[in-house]
Amino acid sequence: MKFSTQAIHAGQKPDPSTGAIMTPIHLSSTFVQSSPGVHQGYEYSRTANPTRKAYETCLASLEACRFGHAMASGCAATTTVMSMFEQGDHIIAGDDMYGGTLRLFEKIIKKWGLVFTYVDMTLGAEELEKHITPKTKLVWLETPTNPMLKISPIKDIADWCKSKKVLLSVDNTFMSPYFQRPIELGADIVVHSTTKFVGGHSDMVGGAILTDSPELNEALHFSVNSIGAIASPFDSFMGLRSLKTLSLRMEAHQKNALSISKFLEGHKNVDQVIYPGLESHPQHALAKKQMHGFGGVLSFKVKGGLDKARSFLENLKVFALAESLGGVESLIEHPGIMTHASVPEAQRAALGIDDSLIRISVGIEDIEDLTKDIEQALN
Ligand code: P1T
């Protein structure tokens, strides 16, 4: 079936006891067994839960793979993936990614003895070749990156990883499975912060891990069950409900984001606009090739540094000044002070995350209201 049909039906069938068309929220922590070890597929809700299972099946089907795990947050998903590795294992990660992911790697996972190297992933396999060691086990890729929207060649990197027997995990949060499906391009694992476009309404915090490999899934399930950072039945229901409108929302986000990008590009108080859908984006051609759309997030630099950035942000009326992204409402933020404050200053400077950088998650409100709001605040 096609994406929008899967989004509404995959993993879901009417409740056999009542005919309820919507998957119930199964709050039960445990499930009765008729004899020790004999049950209907559910024993204990950390291990598996029917509401979560429906959501995981739907998510996996949208990511074009067989196995999914719904987690308590994007960071919980990332931590669970990292738990599969051992002391001394080497991981190559991108130099630009969500500040909380970098903080997790540097301040927590490193303490467990994993070794990280950060590289510019836009350079692809050639760059990875320079950094591989006999201990390299994983490439951790975020594309497009948060907040600079750098785009890396997934297939090129996946082919290289396969030839080196290194796993590839892709954080697909910014595109959602509607606009990008890394497993089809050769990635082994996909991770999401479902708090963002998957959830889509800024009313849940969640994460997901997806794979098409039965062996990896077994290892992941062991970690998921052992660590226990799972999505609750209520959040699983929210995620399942949200997936039904993912395609509609992503199209609307993209349409508005492209329009706002073009408006900003033509404004005298703006220095630079970074959006994958603009021809000026350095990896626009690659974006067209490996993505099915350009998403709803853009970054730009306002002229005049921090003072002007601050007054612009304070003067907006429709856009909400808040962290996060992917909700139906437009959100705007200052990465240097907000989402990426934990990234060391020198690294921020090298990436271009400076005082004038502003990130927008363009919502699905009326484009006229959004444009007018940006215009009055910029002026
Ligand atoms: O917040 P959480 O659900 O734990 O997800 C972490 C995460 C992982 N990956 C990406 C690409 C992300 O953007 C995030 C969270 N990001 C924000 C909160 C933000 O405002 O950028």
Side-chain angles (χ1 to χ4, degrees), residues 73-75 98 142 146 171 173 193 195-196 206 324-325 339 359:
S73 68
C75 287
Y98 169 54
E142 193 179 289
N146 181 358
D171 184 329
T173 298
S193 168
T195 316
K196 311 294 166 2
S324 203
L325 56 105
T339 50
R359 188 191 75 188

Side-chain angles (χ1 to χ4, degrees), residues 208-320:
I209 312 169
L210 295 310
T211 185
D212 199 47
S213 150
E215 297 79 37
L216 266 179
N217 184 54
E218 202 176 310
L220 281 167
H221 185 252
F222 183 81
S223 283
V224 168
N225 188 40
S226 303
I227 295 171
I230 43 143
S232 72
F234 185 76
D235 285 344
S236 299
F237 174 85
M238 296 290 272
L240 192 60
R241 186 184 202 272
S242 296
L243 283 177
K244 293 177 192 292
T245 56
L246 182 66
S247 55
L248 296 174
R249 287 186 283 108
M250 292 312 294
E251 290 289 352
H253 282 295
Q254 160 168 266
K255 193 162 169 240
N256 281 355
L258 187 60
S259 177
I260 297 281
S261 298
K262 287 184 174 157
F263 174 80
L264 287 169
E265 247 191 349
H267 198 285
K268 63 180 188 336
N269 293 343
V270 171
D271 259 341
Q272 185 193 355
V273 185
I274 313 166
Y275 178 64
L278 291 177
E279 276 175 23
S280 58
H281 188 287
Q283 292 97 33
H284 178 63
L286 174 62
K288 280 205 285 193
K289 199 168 137 203
Q290 74 179 15
M291 288 146 50
H292 307 284
F294 305 113
V297 180
L298 64 98
S299 293
F300 75 99
K301 294 195 176 183
V302 72
K303 280 190 182 150
L306 187 58
D307 283 353
K308 295 287 181 201
R310 241 184 221 289
S311 77
F312 167 70
L313 291 168
E314 286 168 0
N315 278 294
L316 287 159
K317 303 206 163 44
V318 181
F319 285 78

Side-chain angles (χ1 to χ4, degrees), residues 91-132:
I91 292 162
I92 307 177
D95 58 2
D96 182 37
M97 57 187 168
Y98 169 54
T101 305
L102 181 66
R103 181 179 58 197
L104 175 62
F105 290 172
E106 287 296 296
K107 304 284 185 202
I108 307 280
I109 310 285
K110 249 189 176 176
K111 288 197 295 194
W112 301 345
L114 272 67
V115 180
F116 290 88
T117 302
Y118 301 98
V119 308
D120 182 354
M121 293 278 184
T122 63
L123 303 172
E126 229 171 272
E127 184 64 13
L128 293 169
E129 192 67 46
K130 292 185 201 155
H131 299 279
I132 190 171

Side-chain angles (χ1 to χ4, degrees), residues 29 31 59 65 88 110 159 187 190 211 231 345:
S29 58
F31 298 84
L59 261 178
C65 66
K110 249 189 176 176
D159 289 349
V190 162
T211 185
E345 206 175 330

